[in-house]
Amino acid sequence: MATVKLSSGHLMPLVGFGCWKVDNATAADQIYSAIKAGYRLFDGAEDYGNEKEVGDGLKRALDEGLVKREELFITSKLWNNYHDPKNVETALNRTLADLQLDYVDLFLIHFPIAFKFVPLEEKYPPGFYCGDGDNFHYENVPLLDTWKALEKLVEAGKIKSIGISNFTGGLIYDLIRGATIKPAVLQVEHHPYLQQPKLVEFVQKQGIAITAYSSFGPQSFLELQQNRALNTPTLFEHDTVKAISARLGKTPAQVLLRWATQRNIAVIPKSNNPGRLAQNLAVTDFDLTEADFEEISKLDINLRFNDPWDWDNIPIFV
């Protein structure tokens, strides 16, 4: 399996299984099936609300000897309500308990946003709940304070690597100047409609690996209907992607995933279909041409689907 070496020294698979929107009722079976299909990286988060079920799937595979713990790479993410240093370990402990693991391989700050703390027994995961109905409330917690708490948990052996998600270049630039442990991974929305080339170049030059989420663009956010408002076809249906797909004898999904992995950007697609599970994993044994990359580069329209400005006018990407 193709891997990328992290600044922490650990190896992360270049292709994994994303747990976002995996239904609780089927999550355990999906994780188990993905392990049988050859997946070793599983990307989850506290906010996804399915870590208990994901953990059940992992435990089943481990108990049956399908895989050893050290062969798995498990990612989770610290949700916004737990940024205060005194709450970071509390949140991680809940993740570890739900996943039924002693450690996670990678733990990311999910968003550079500190919501007001909500006790686990009051609501978990809290989502956008900040203890006051639908009203947003925030805490004045600098990102470096949260990061320092994560560094201590690396030292304690509960986390192998730490990283960030949905961070901009300026925030990363500032964080690495105060960090003792450099971020190992940046996870961002990344697809041909949102390519962020300057961010990718800067981050990779810093020795920070990149994981792309929503590699299929609008396909992950159909309920938002933003693509229709902009009269933008799904990437599976775009003529450029379809032409490359036809020439290579690969699916549009495989072309989109190879577009990332060929540049050493990890991907975390998901599927409930055994055939597509296998296809999504087989995206490192063929190459796109320079001409393919040039054509795909023309698709960039800075179309972002996951934007906290839509939550409460939070200007992360402004």
Side-chain angles (χ1 to χ4, degrees):
M1 178 176 290
T3 60
V4 55
K5 187 169 185 178
L6 305 181
S7 59
S8 59
H10 299 284
L11 295 177
M12 181 177 73
L14 204 53
V15 182
F17 184 93
C19 299
W20 183 46
K21 293 186 179 180
V22 173
D23 188 81
N24 293 66
T26 61
D29 287 340
Q30 282 188 257
I31 298 306
Y32 179 82
S33 296
I35 290 174
K36 288 191 73 173
Y39 285 82
R40 295 297 179 262
L41 163 61
F42 292 88
D43 181 272
E46 294 166 352
D47 186 55
Y48 299 167
N50 58 12
E51 288 195 317
K52 176 67 170 64
E53 292 76 14
V54 168
D56 289 341
L58 294 173
K59 186 175 188 302
R60 179 181 166 196
L62 289 166
D63 287 348
E64 292 184 10
L66 287 181
V67 68
K68 298 177 182 178
R69 173 63 186 96
E70 58 269 23
E71 295 172 333
L72 294 172
F73 192 101
I74 309 301
T75 299
S76 185
K77 306 177 189 74
L78 180 77
W79 185 239
N80 305 338
N81 299 82
Y82 312 120
H83 276 217
D84 191 303
K86 67 177 179 288
N87 300 320
V88 171
E89 187 168 14
T90 298
L92 175 63
N93 287 343
R94 173 60 185 263
T95 282
L96 293 176
D98 283 348
L99 293 174
Q100 303 174 68
L101 299 175
D102 296 326
Y103 67 91
V104 289
D105 297 273
L106 178 63
F107 201 53
L108 310 175
I109 298 177
H110 204 151
F111 283 93
I113 303 165
F115 287 164
K116 183 179 179 181
F117 174 67
V118 174
L120 303 186
E121 59 274 14
E122 182 175 339
K123 182 176 173 60
Y124 185 86
F128 293 152
Y129 176 70
C130 299
D132 181 24
D134 295 330
N135 297 309
F136 284 84
H137 296 282
Y138 303 87
E139 291 183 338
N140 293 323
V141 181
L143 288 168
L144 187 58
D145 289 359
T146 305
W147 189 256
K148 291 296 183 183
L150 290 174
E151 290 180 334
K152 291 179 180 178
L153 294 171
V154 173
E155 295 169 3
K158 291 186 174 183
I159 307 170
K160 297 297 185 183
S161 303
I162 48 178
I164 49 183
S165 178
N166 300 299
F167 274 51
T168 58
L171 289 176
I172 299 167
Y173 188 86
D174 183 66
L175 180 63
I176 59 180
R177 273 147 185 79
T180 300
I181 300 175
K182 179 190 291 188
V185 174
L186 167 69
Q187 186 173 130
V188 288
E189 181 181 346
H190 180 70
H191 46 76
Y193 288 151
L194 182 71
Q195 299 186 23
Q196 308 190 79
K198 292 180 181 178
L199 179 65
V200 169
E201 180 180 345
F202 168 71
V203 169
Q204 290 185 328
K205 282 183 176 178
Q206 299 301 315
I208 300 171
I210 298 175
T211 298
Y213 70 77
S214 300
S215 295
F216 304 145
Q219 197 70 23
S220 302
F221 296 92
L222 291 179
E223 71 277 9
L224 297 182
Q225 300 300 316
Q226 288 177 308
N227 52 313
R228 292 187 182 180
L230 292 170
N231 195 30
T232 305
T234 69
L235 286 164
F236 290 166
E237 299 167 347
H238 198 287
D239 288 343
T240 296
V241 177
K242 287 167 64 178
I244 297 171
S245 169
R247 195 192 81 248
L248 293 173
K250 302 293 182 179
T251 68
Q254 287 176 310
V255 169
L256 293 169
L257 297 175
R258 186 55 179 149
W259 173 75
T261 59
Q262 195 168 330
R263 292 174 294 130
N264 219 30
I265 295 174
V267 292
I268 45 173
K270 70 171 184 292
S271 177
N272 206 14
N273 179 290
R276 285 196 292 270
L277 266 180
Q279 289 171 355
N280 289 346
L281 196 58
V283 292
T284 59
D285 59 354
F286 68 95
D287 288 332
L288 306 186
T289 66
E290 284 299 320
D292 293 334
F293 278 102
E294 290 174 7
E295 287 302 306
I296 292 176
S297 71
K298 298 174 184 177
L299 305 187
D300 193 358
I301 54 175
N302 199 35
L303 177 56
R304 185 184 302 278
F305 293 98
N306 192 11
D307 191 345
W309 185 262
D310 299 327
W311 307 352
D312 190 40
N313 291 352
I314 305 170
I316 292 179
F317 301 119
V318 173

